[in-house]
Amino acid sequence: MLVLITYDVSTVTSAGQKRLRKVAKICQRYGQRVQNSVFECIIDSTQFVSLKGKLTEIINESTDSLRFYQLGKNYKNKIEHIGSKETVDLEGPLLF
Amino acid sequence: MLVLITYDVSTVTSAGQKRLRKVAKICQRYGQRVQNSVFECIIDSTQFVSLKGKLTEIINESTDSLRFYQLGKNYKNKIEHIGSKETVDLEGPLLF
């Protein structure tokens, strides 16, 4: 299933920047960074539990906000993009 | 239905900040701002088309990224939040 993760952190401080880098690093193991603090991860329910645990350890719960949106398996026609940085199809064939 | 809107814009420039303010203002007519540049809008398909049109006019398509995720009607159990700024239930009763 696709899980969308949005992370709101102040990157004014270097500690905030560091947390965003750590969150991005973990999320990118499971999917892709589609915006600066938005990640699309293709995971099963077991991985989802594990991922939530890891991210919860990184963030500062009193200042940061982390949100998870489950888009299920048939997510392709539920997503639209306008503007720069169109992303690749994670599950599609790689064409060079 | 719930449509999640994520907007990636550089707020280093005042023009970027201004675009974010405009996007926020329009999205907040239909829902709530759950993170700095993440909005949850409760709209029907006609309003969705109109909203996309309005936002497309505001953003700078060559530098900004705007993404829409359709979460359908049964979205409540698809969303999880960790950390600060828990949001209110838009459709629930207002309790004081």
Side-chain angles (χ1 to χ4, degrees):
Chain A
M1 64 176 174
L2 182 79
V3 176
L4 181 77
I5 301 169
T6 66
Y7 180 42
D8 203 17
V9 55
S10 169
T11 50
V12 174
T13 64
S14 62
Q17 284 172 12
K18 197 173 173 183
R19 290 200 298 280
L20 177 57
R21 277 200 300 276
K22 282 188 183 175
V23 164
K25 197 174 171 185
I26 289 180
C27 288
Q28 284 171 313
R29 281 185 212 156
Y30 301 95
Q32 62 180 344
R33 188 176 199 163
V34 293
Q35 289 183 347
N36 189 42
S37 57
V38 179
F39 307 91
E40 290 176 4
C41 298
I42 306 221
I43 47 180
D44 60 31
S45 51
T46 311
Q47 289 172 314
F48 185 31
V49 172
S50 158
L51 181 58
K52 270 191 287 189
K54 284 177 191 159
L55 298 181
T56 305
E57 282 175 23
I58 294 169
I59 73 161
N60 180 336
E61 287 189 49
S62 62
T63 59
D64 305 348
S65 159
L66 190 62
R67 290 178 78 82
F68 301 89
Y69 298 87
Q70 291 182 50
L71 279 117
K73 284 185 179 172
N74 300 314
Y75 55 83
K76 289 191 181 172
N77 56 358
K78 295 177 188 164
I79 305 176
E80 283 174 72
H81 179 95
I82 296 171
S84 70
K85 290 187 254 175
E86 181 55 284
T87 54
V88 293
D89 180 354
L90 275 186
E91 294 179 315
L94 282 172
L95 298 174
F96 296 98
Chain B
M1 65 177 173
L2 182 79
V3 176
L4 182 77
I5 300 168
T6 65
Y7 180 42
D8 204 17
V9 56
S10 170
T11 50
V12 174
T13 64
S14 61
Q17 284 171 12
K18 198 174 173 184
R19 290 199 298 279
L20 177 58
R21 277 199 302 275
K22 281 188 184 175
V23 165
K25 197 174 171 187
I26 289 180
C27 288
Q28 283 171 313
R29 283 186 210 154
Y30 301 95
Q32 62 182 342
R33 187 176 200 164
V34 293
Q35 290 182 348
N36 190 43
S37 58
V38 178
F39 307 90
E40 289 176 4
C41 297
I42 305 221
I43 47 181
D44 60 30
S45 51
T46 311
Q47 290 172 314
F48 185 31
V49 172
S50 159
L51 181 58
K52 270 190 289 191
K54 285 177 190 160
L55 297 181
T56 305
E57 281 175 23
I58 294 169
I59 72 161
N60 180 337
E61 288 190 50
S62 62
T63 58
D64 306 348
S65 159
L66 189 61
R67 291 178 77 83
F68 301 89
Y69 298 87
Q70 292 183 50
L71 279 115
K73 284 185 179 172
N74 301 312
Y75 55 83
K76 289 191 183 174
N77 56 358
K78 294 177 188 163
I79 305 176
E80 284 174 72
H81 179 93
I82 296 171
S84 71
K85 292 185 254 170
E86 180 54 286
T87 53
V88 293
D89 180 353
L90 274 187
E91 295 180 314
L94 282 172
L95 297 174
F96 294 100

